Amino acid sequence: VSKRQRFPETRTDAAMSELVPEPRPKPAVPMKPVSINSNLLGYIGIDTIIEQMRKKTMKTGFDFNIMVVGQSGLGKSTLVNTLFKSQVSRKASSWNREEKIPKTVEIKAIGHVIEEGGVKMKLTVIDTPGFGDQINNENCWEPIEKYINEQYEKFLKEEVNIARKKRIPDTRVHCCLYFISPTGHSLRPLDLEFMKHLSKVVNIIPVIAKADTMTLEEKSEFKQRVRKELEVNGIEFYPQKEFDEDLEDKTENDKIRQESMPFAVVGSDREYQVNGKRVLGRKTPWGIIEVENLNHCEFALLRDFVIRTHLQDLKEVTHNIHYETYRAKRLNDNGGLPPGEGLLGTVLPPVPATPCPTAE
């Protein structure tokens, strides 16, 4: 209890408190690790921790959940199949012609286990058919936001259980690929509204779909225009500036933000013979567009970014930033108690973090 709370203030005390601000406690500065002479007398084996971690990861595998959002016909399923070099997403061409466009946005999650070099990845592809396909697309992002929050809620309920699982199943969305139509003009209001609402709850990576429909000059101008529009509207896409941990991360991510984003991509799961080599590509009357050739499109940059350099970071930002934000808000709304529990053990109904009515 402070002095001000124990004794009633006099006018002099009040006047002094206005003139002299109370000293704030200095933030705790972590102590620098004391460096030990590197000239050790013999080998200890500290470096084997990396091998131990690798073996454990190979045994258990890891989860990665990727969501694709965009209008029909932009090649979402094809691109995801190209990313993972397997049929992990349904093909729109497999639909019957009689099948109607969904009246509301549907959420379809398909799970797979992909193994490469002894490492298992439990991949879940979340598709959103019906997004942006109606005449009136108002609030069509709400079912998607609701789905993302439901996965956070599911993880939180498992986490606060007294007898919780050793390894909680992770269904949280780690990455959302948002497909932008290659108009060459500007972003649609739907694009801006979606990214504005969802950028705070999930890692959004904008991609320009079917980039082979634009010339190199048109593609370059469109990329610059999209970056400018996102900046003007205050939309933060992944990797967010405030989450860069050190100078190396900042330098690497600045280059991605200023040069690569949004990735202009072409997807294909068909192989063709080019100069004696089998390549993934799209056949046109004037030649073959090679998907993995950087002179043709930026698919290779997107694949390296999502899988080879930032996959672990996507998972960490999801857990440490987006999930923690949801968790703090959820517990705060419930008075600091686990979800579903009230005072004296009474059960309270779960309260969604952001109530999103399903569009009819």
Side-chain angles (χ1 to χ4, degrees), residues 134-197:
Q134 305 300 318
I135 295 172
N136 180 9
N137 292 301
E138 188 179 2
N139 299 339
C140 67
W141 60 81
E142 286 184 350
I144 297 171
E145 185 177 21
K146 183 183 177 185
Y147 176 85
I148 292 168
N149 283 330
E150 281 173 353
Q151 307 320 304
Y152 291 147
E153 180 72 16
K154 195 184 293 184
F155 194 90
L156 177 58
K157 282 184 175 177
E158 288 286 351
E159 200 177 47
V160 298
N161 278 343
I162 294 172
R164 59 185 179 182
K165 298 173 184 174
K166 184 181 177 183
R167 193 166 182 268
I168 300 172
D170 191 0
T171 60
R172 297 169 298 181
V173 181
H174 300 122
C175 171
C176 173
L177 292 180
Y178 186 78
F179 285 69
I180 298 167
S181 184
T183 60
H185 298 290
S186 56
L187 291 172
R188 300 170 303 159
L190 176 60
D191 301 328
L192 294 171
E193 285 298 317
F194 177 88
M195 287 189 270
K196 198 177 288 183
H197 279 83

Side-chain angles (χ1 to χ4, degrees), residues 202-255:
V202 71
N203 296 317
I204 291 181
I205 299 176
V207 296
I208 298 170
K210 296 194 172 181
D212 53 328
T213 60
M214 296 187 288
T215 65
L216 294 177
E217 293 78 12
E218 288 170 344
K219 184 171 70 176
S220 177
E221 287 175 11
F222 190 43
K223 279 165 67 81
Q224 290 177 19
R225 192 174 292 120
V226 169
R227 280 198 296 268
K228 186 68 178 173
E229 287 190 49
L230 292 174
E231 184 184 343
V232 167
N233 287 275
I235 296 168
E236 285 281 343
F237 51 82
Y238 179 85
Q240 299 91 330
K241 292 177 184 176
E242 63 265 34
F243 303 152
D244 293 339
E245 292 185 355
D246 52 36
L247 187 60
E248 185 184 354
D249 282 357
K250 185 181 183 304
T251 305
E252 182 185 351
N253 290 339
D254 274 345
K255 188 177 180 183

Side-chain angles (χ1 to χ4, degrees), residues 12-13 25 34 54 70 139 148 178 216 238 252 270 297 356:
T12 311
D13 290 335
V34 180
R54 191 184 74 86
N139 299 339
I148 292 168
Y178 186 78
L216 294 177
Y238 179 85
E252 182 185 351
R270 291 189 180 183
C297 78
C356 304

Side-chain angles (χ1 to χ4, degrees), residues 110-129:
I110 305 170
H112 304 269
V113 176
I114 299 177
E115 188 171 346
E116 186 179 49
V119 179
K120 289 180 183 177
M121 179 170 74
K122 294 164 188 173
L123 173 70
T124 302
V125 179
I126 303 118
D127 200 358
T128 55

Side-chain angles (χ1 to χ4, degrees), residues 248-305:
E248 185 184 354
D249 282 357
K250 185 181 183 304
T251 305
E252 182 185 351
N253 290 339
D254 274 345
K255 188 177 180 183
I256 292 165
R257 284 186 286 258
Q258 294 164 12
E259 296 176 14
S260 302
M261 289 286 187
F263 296 97
V265 297
V266 176
S268 174
D269 47 14
R270 291 189 180 183
E271 285 189 342
Y272 294 95
Q273 193 88 11
V274 177
N275 299 327
K277 290 183 180 179
R278 301 291 294 177
V279 298
L280 288 170
R282 284 170 58 86
K283 192 172 183 180
T284 66
W286 49 89
I288 291 172
I289 296 160
E290 298 173 39
V291 167
E292 294 176 299
N293 188 336
L294 284 175
N295 294 321
H296 294 193
C297 78
E298 295 168 351
F299 169 80
L301 291 178
L302 173 67
R303 180 199 56 208
D304 291 354
F305 176 66

